[in-house]
Amino acid sequence: MAEVLIRDVVKTYPGNVTAVKGINLDIPDGEFTVLVGPSGCGKSTTLRMVAGLEDITEGTISIGERVVNDVAPKDRDIAMVFQNYALYPHMTVYKNMAFGLKLRKFPKTEIDERVNNAAKILGIEKLLDRKPKALSGGQRQRVALGRAIVRDPAVFLFDEPLSNLDAKLRVETRAELKRLHKRLATTTIYVTHDQEEAMTLGDRVVVMSEGLIQQCDTPLNVYQHPVNRFVAAFLGTPPMNFIDGRLEQGQNGLSFVARGIEIALRGHHADLAAGHVGKEVVLGVRPEALFLRPADTANSDDQTIPATVGVVEPLGNTMDVFAVIGGDTMTQDNARRVTARVKAEVLDEDTPVTLYVDDTKLHLFEPGEYGENITLQHAAAVV
Ligand SMILES: Nc1ncnc2c1ncn2[C@@H]1O[C@H](COP(=O)(O)OP(=O)(O)OP(=O)(O)O)[C@@H](O)[C@H]1O
Ligand SMILES: [Mg+2]
């Protein structure tokens, strides 16, 4: 059992590529932390520094109160599982799982107990005599997990361990990993670029971009209270809608105004945005915060976006409506496109539609890819 502390860590590779630009992260004992972010953002580099497979250029990493910067990987009490499970092809499953323990000179009876126990946890008892080539992808991945489990390490490190599996198996193995963590409660750092994996597995999700941590919080908080536009855009499918506009002070209070749209700001949104009157801002609203309503149920304080339906994608119970704000569904202007995930109903393409906004769920961002969330309530911004 151990906590992992990452302090002011920088990694510069030869050739002057700075992959990690000064990150701080506290991973409490027993927590499942997921590092997520686009390709090249520094996830694997961070993990490999914890594992000891890469030198740390600046800063310190400690595992269980011991600074490990100069500790060899084999002495860090960690076990790592990679994307390509790298099993020894000439060894049986049993021997693959026992190998690390044998190397560390564990007694035979202890090895036997640990391998059998791990095999039971993973449901691969019947496969112990097989060689890897006689296993399916999912079974091989379980053996790779087994190899990590038998070590009973202080920390598990996973680098995209499911990405070689097909979609169905990924979901199944994901659930298995979650059960495994519940049972073993070993501190875990898990790297993925798959946001669904991040949201479903993590006690906390760390969103990275360009070598920096953008936000670290519970899955629900990073989704509902993104600190900036990057985090908001990265999480969620279909992605959050962003509409460029400005904040204006009218007779009835503060509004977000863009071509053809006026959305009144209410409650804490108005308080938090007050300092931005007259400035350019970006409205962020997730597809599921938009909905349709029969025209005769309209209210005077409804918040609406007038749009024209482009394409409708039925999803069974719900459907995605890809619309364009105002008219002209052939527009090349992406900033006028908006997606709504609504309850399934009959909706003709190329017809006008009123999208209702659940205004408790809107966000306002400063302009730019990393524009700060102006409407973030302080309590949610736990970093
Ligand atoms: N050995 C290396 N030498 C030089 N640059 C490297 C090396 N390894 C990684 N990099 C660079 O460091 C940056 C971060 O790489 P890293 O592998 O940590 O990204 P990642 O977030 O794991 O991406 P992915 O999702 O594609 O696996 C990238 O720009 C990459 O090209
Ligand atoms: Mg990687």
Side-chain angles (χ1 to χ4, degrees):
M1 297 299 236
E3 64 174 350
V4 177
L5 303 180
I6 299 179
R7 288 280 176 272
D8 302 316
V9 164
V10 173
K11 173 67 186 183
T12 304
Y13 283 111
N16 224 12
V17 182
T18 301
V20 173
K21 299 176 181 165
I23 61 169
N24 286 286
L25 192 58
D26 287 17
I27 298 166
D29 180 27
E31 193 182 88
F32 199 119
T33 295
V34 179
L35 308 185
V36 68
S39 183
C41 72
K43 306 178 296 292
S44 294
T45 301
T46 302
L47 198 73
R48 292 171 63 81
M49 284 191 286
V50 177
L53 303 173
E54 294 290 349
D55 290 336
I56 299 161
T57 311
E58 275 176 47
T60 56
I61 294 180
S62 35
I63 300 176
E65 291 171 18
R66 176 172 65 141
V67 173
V68 294
N69 286 42
D70 299 318
V71 176
K74 68 174 178 35
D75 299 324
R76 290 193 183 194
D77 201 9
I78 50 117
M80 189 149 170
V81 180
F82 297 94
Q83 170 180 353
N84 55 346
Y85 2 91
L87 302 176
Y88 300 107
H90 58 286
M91 289 186 194
T92 62
V93 166
Y94 183 97
K95 284 192 172 154
N96 263 288
M97 284 167 69
F99 188 71
L101 300 177
K102 216 169 152 191
L103 219 59
R104 286 172 179 78
K105 309 240 178 314
F106 275 66
K108 214 167 169 299
T109 48
E110 167 102 34
I111 293 178
D112 204 48
E113 196 184 314
R114 286 194 185 204
V115 171
N116 285 318
N117 195 25
K120 203 179 295 161
I121 291 175
L122 295 165
I124 51 173
E125 303 109 300
K126 293 207 171 75
L127 306 176
L128 287 172
D129 294 328
R130 289 205 200 163
K131 299 243 173 91
K133 68 172 188 310
L135 301 175
S136 71
Q139 289 168 334
R140 279 182 211 161
Q141 192 56 321
R142 261 177 281 167
V143 177
L145 285 175
R147 216 165 38 174
I149 293 172
V150 294
R151 301 259 317 279
D152 190 21
V155 182
F156 281 131
L157 303 174
F158 293 111
D159 196 347
E160 312 239 10
L162 308 184
S163 52
N164 278 352
L165 306 179
D166 67 41
K168 184 161 174 280
L169 207 51
R170 267 181 96 121
V171 173
E172 284 169 18
T173 317
R174 189 169 84 195
E176 217 161 90
L177 270 175
K178 200 161 178 161
R179 277 196 297 277
L180 195 67
H181 182 252
K182 254 206 171 107
R183 178 162 178 170
L184 303 175
T186 306
T187 312
T188 301
I189 310 178
Y190 185 103
V191 163
T192 180
H193 61 261
D194 180 330
Q195 48 153 317
E196 200 175 293
E197 232 168 81
M199 301 292 274
T200 52
L201 278 173
D203 293 320
R204 280 195 310 162
V205 173
V206 178
V207 182
M208 292 183 71
S209 168
E210 299 187 44
L212 291 170
I213 292 176
Q214 299 296 325
Q215 187 167 9
C216 167
D217 211 325
T218 60
L220 211 58
N221 274 346
V222 288
Y223 187 80
Q224 291 183 336
H225 308 287
V227 294
N228 61 31
R229 178 168 169 176
F230 179 87
V231 175
F234 186 75
L235 301 169
T237 30
M240 189 184 277
N241 298 295
F242 297 103
I243 302 167
D244 295 334
R246 67 169 57 238
L247 264 188
E248 286 182 7
Q249 180 75 52
Q251 278 180 341
N252 300 321
L254 217 54
S255 314
F256 168 83
V257 180
R259 191 151 49 104
I261 303 174
E262 181 165 352
I263 308 258
L265 298 181
R266 299 179 181 143
H268 74 274
H269 287 149
D271 300 339
L272 291 163
H276 293 262
V277 174
K279 291 188 185 157
E280 309 263 310
V281 291
V282 180
L283 176 74
V285 56
R286 291 204 186 273
E288 67 267 25
L290 297 173
F291 54 99
L292 302 175
R293 260 201 344 220
D296 56 4
T297 64
N299 260 314
S300 60
D301 63 347
D302 281 339
Q303 306 266 40
T304 57
I305 297 177
T308 305
V309 178
V311 174
V312 176
E313 284 185 358
L315 298 164
N317 201 20
T318 60
M319 62 185 192
D320 285 346
V321 179
F322 298 92
V324 174
I325 300 168
D328 186 14
T329 51
M330 300 308 283
T331 182
Q332 297 298 312
D333 184 1
N334 280 331
R336 303 198 63 73
R337 294 187 184 284
V338 60
T339 309
R341 175 160 289 182
V342 299
K343 261 175 67 182
E345 62 173 82
V346 176
L347 190 64
D348 290 331
E349 296 179 351
D350 292 316
T351 56
V353 68
T354 300
L355 298 173
Y356 289 81
V357 181
D358 176 351
D359 63 6
T360 61
K361 289 190 183 150
L362 58 78
H363 304 271
L364 290 174
F365 299 95
E366 290 182 334
E369 193 189 352
Y370 292 90
E372 241 176 76
N373 187 346
I374 299 163
T375 41
L376 194 66
Q377 278 176 295
H378 189 68
V382 186
V383 177

